[in-house]
Amino acid sequence: MSAVKAAGVRVVLDHKPILHGVDLAVGSGSWHAVLGPNGAGKSTLLKAIVGILAYQGEIRVGGESVAKLPAKHRARLIAYVPQQPQLPGDMTVAEYVLLGRTPHLGYLGVESRSDRAIAESALERLDLAGFAHRRLGTMSGGERQRVVLARALAQQAGVLLLDEPTTALDLGHQQQVLDLVDELRATEGLTVISTLHDLSLAAQYADELTLLVGGAVVATGTAREVLTEQRISEHYGARVKVLDDGEGRPVIHLVRRTHQRQGE
Ligand SMILES: Nc1ncnc2c1ncn2[C@@H]1O[C@H](COP(=O)(O)OP(=O)(O)OP(=O)(O)O)[C@@H](O)[C@H]1O
């Protein structure tokens, strides 16, 4: 069964059509990468799925129509890590991550011991335990990115939407974050939809990929099916070589243009 299903999704922003009837089906417990050049509509699609942008068409999460769900109910189903989160600089890391528990709080809105334990565990999983009392305004870009992810994990929703989750991270933290998300997918059945500009990383982690260009789907399937040299060249205008990582996953290299030296 699909945990997330989108059919004929159209979004218009500022009188301009941005998504032109996008279909997407993401199996429960799988990782789906949404790829595409700048401005293709990837973030717009994630925002429609999480219910913060108006759309036409149908989006169902766990069988329920997102547009009709109250915000609190929706937040128990879907956690979302935006590309450029706005963080309150005066708040501490611990306070911010605890906000992930908000959709689960009762009438009085008071966190229980279990809510605090879940938030602390999310901090630990993202190497942030030592930062618990730091103000968000003092954190580096990569640390802030991990804090936002920790808050999303503390939310304990079954579907996690990640918009470019690794842009500010060094190589080690990129791997740590993606491995952690992958572990949660494998052990707890988390369904993941992420945008990723790094096509090789998308090929490593995603079960299926959708290539979005100009607000429309041009290909969907496994990494080997979607990431061909011809398609990347056509849609990204890039010269690339697609190799194999030895385990059947494509690795995408940019190919430098050669120049004739003067006098040669
Ligand atoms: N509020 C808005 N009003 C008008 N146009 C918008 C608005 N938000 C986004 N757009 C436009 O919609 C298009 C899709 O934007 P979106 O952020 O979804 O692209 P993207 O694929 O995520 O791009 P990137 O890879 O650069 O992050 C872009 O052309 C963008 O300029």
Side-chain angles (χ1 to χ4, degrees):
M1 184 192 137
S2 295
V4 178
K5 197 161 172 49
V9 174
R10 295 175 183 277
V11 172
V12 174
L13 295 175
D14 204 16
H15 308 291
K16 193 173 141 211
I18 304 292
L19 298 182
H20 307 273
V22 171
D23 297 337
L24 192 75
V26 183
S28 186
S30 72
W31 187 321
H32 198 105
V34 179
L35 313 175
N38 290 141
K42 304 178 295 294
S43 300
T44 304
L45 178 60
L46 294 198
K47 287 178 191 165
I49 295 172
V50 77
I52 56 176
L53 264 190
Y55 60 88
Q56 290 180 305
E58 174 129 74
I59 301 179
R60 288 185 168 271
V61 175
E64 304 199 65
S65 178
V66 218
K68 295 184 187 134
L69 291 178
K72 191 167 175 176
H73 185 157
R74 205 164 52 211
R76 288 198 293 261
L77 292 179
I78 320 170
Y80 166 58
V81 178
Q83 196 170 13
Q84 287 170 334
Q86 303 296 317
L87 301 187
D90 282 346
M91 197 176 255
T92 67
V93 169
E95 287 164 350
Y96 181 77
V97 173
L98 197 54
L99 287 179
R101 300 304 300 157
T102 308
H104 301 276
L105 302 185
Y107 184 63
L108 294 176
V110 180
E111 299 91 4
S112 65
R113 191 177 292 179
S114 139
D115 291 315
R116 290 182 186 281
I118 290 166
E120 276 164 28
S121 151
L123 281 177
E124 276 162 25
R125 294 182 100 157
L126 285 155
D127 250 0
L128 290 165
F131 292 90
H133 302 296
R134 281 275 293 279
R135 305 244 165 239
L136 293 172
T138 68
M139 309 283 285
S140 79
E143 289 159 358
R144 288 156 67 98
Q145 200 160 22
R146 274 153 47 222
V147 170
V148 179
L149 191 67
R151 173 183 163 162
L153 294 188
Q155 208 171 317
Q156 292 192 320
V159 175
L160 179 61
L161 305 186
L162 301 171
D163 199 350
E164 288 296 334
T166 55
T167 40
L169 302 184
D170 63 53
L171 211 57
H173 281 115
Q174 284 186 27
Q175 194 168 49
Q176 181 201 13
V177 160
L178 295 174
D179 277 353
L180 173 60
V181 171
D182 196 40
E183 182 192 326
L184 293 170
R185 186 197 56 70
T187 58
E188 293 173 26
L190 185 70
T191 302
V192 184
I193 305 179
S194 67
T195 68
L196 277 172
H197 275 305
D198 185 324
L199 304 182
S200 299
L201 271 188
Q204 281 290 319
Y205 286 92
D207 302 297
E208 283 215 306
L209 301 82
T210 286
L211 179 60
L212 206 58
V213 179
V217 173
V218 297
T220 192
T222 62
R224 280 172 66 137
E225 288 162 349
V226 172
L227 297 174
T228 62
E229 285 176 9
Q230 194 203 342
R231 202 174 268 133
I232 296 169
S233 142
E234 180 183 346
H235 297 298
Y236 285 83
R239 288 181 313 283
V240 295
K241 206 152 207 57
V242 177
L243 307 175
D244 188 293
D245 74 345
E247 294 182 25
R249 297 190 197 93
V251 178
I252 291 88
H253 288 282
L254 286 176
V255 178
R256 178 184 174 183
R257 179 185 286 142
T258 50
H259 298 280
Q260 198 78 23
R261 282 185 192 277
Q262 265 191 339
E264 281 182 6

